[in-house]
Amino acid sequence: FEDPVLVDSVIIMNREDCCADRINGVKVYAGETLCGTISYVEGQVGYAQDCPDYTYANSITIEAAPDQYLTLCEVKVMADPNPEVGDTHLVNLALNKPTSQSSTGWGGVASRGVDGRDSGMWGHGTCTHTAGSGWWKVDLQDKYSVEKVWIKNRLDC
């Protein structure tokens, strides 16, 4: 894109087959800016986290709570690259972008977080997993304005 693109939302799909409470205390960053810390609510599927106004970032980092694994089943960074056209046509800026994480547990490689498959079931091979407390990151390969982060939590245990 020629000009900076305003990010509409970041959607994080978490596991649906167990461990929903692991989302409690997870920190969400846009670049170096802390957007916020997630508080677990039993039965809640999705979480929204606003970022401060005029937050520009070229990466999104999700940091596990202390002493917790981090498992993410899809991360979508949604934006409309042509807002002047009229109707919103959101695209996923994170799809198949480079990823990294602090460690890998049980074969849950970082790239699963942006592979376009958002099943929340571990057995479907679509989720990342750290080997302990740590972080996951997507490199957006350009600088974007980030307003909000959405998180869908795991529902299975």
Side-chain angles (χ1 to χ4, degrees), residues 59-83:
S59 65
I60 300 295
T61 303
I62 313 297
E63 184 179 287
D67 303 318
Q68 286 290 346
Y69 296 111
L70 182 63
T71 303
L72 305 168
C73 296
E74 191 68 19
V75 177
K76 300 177 182 180
V77 180
M78 307 304 292
D80 184 352
N82 299 306

Side-chain angles (χ1 to χ4, degrees), residues 128-148:
T128 71
H129 203 303
T130 60
S133 186
W135 52 267
W136 178 93
K137 180 178 183 176
V138 59
D139 178 353
L140 300 175
Q141 298 183 310
D142 206 343
K143 189 173 268 191
Y144 301 98
S145 175
V146 179
E147 287 186 357
K148 185 173 285 195

Side-chain angles (χ1 to χ4, degrees), residues 74-144:
E74 191 68 19
V75 177
K76 300 177 182 180
V77 180
M78 307 304 292
D80 184 352
N82 299 306
E84 66 279 351
V85 172
D87 292 337
T88 300
H89 300 296
L90 297 178
V91 296
N92 182 0
L93 301 174
L95 185 63
N96 295 316
K97 293 287 177 68
T99 56
S100 56
Q101 62 188 17
S102 57
S103 62
T104 300
W106 299 272
V109 296
S111 60
R112 289 180 174 182
V114 293
D115 63 6
R117 301 179 305 144
D118 61 6
S119 171
M121 307 300 280
W122 175 256
H124 292 169
T126 64
C127 303
T128 71
H129 203 303
T130 60
S133 186
W135 52 267
W136 178 93
K137 180 178 183 176
V138 59
D139 178 353
L140 300 175
Q141 298 183 310
D142 206 343
K143 189 173 268 191
Y144 301 98

Side-chain angles (χ1 to χ4, degrees), residues 6 29-31 33-35 51-57 144-147:
L6 179 66
Y29 294 86
T33 302
L34 175 63
C35 293
C51 291
D53 289 342
Y54 306 108
T55 299
Y56 286 87
Y144 301 98
S145 175
V146 179
E147 287 186 357

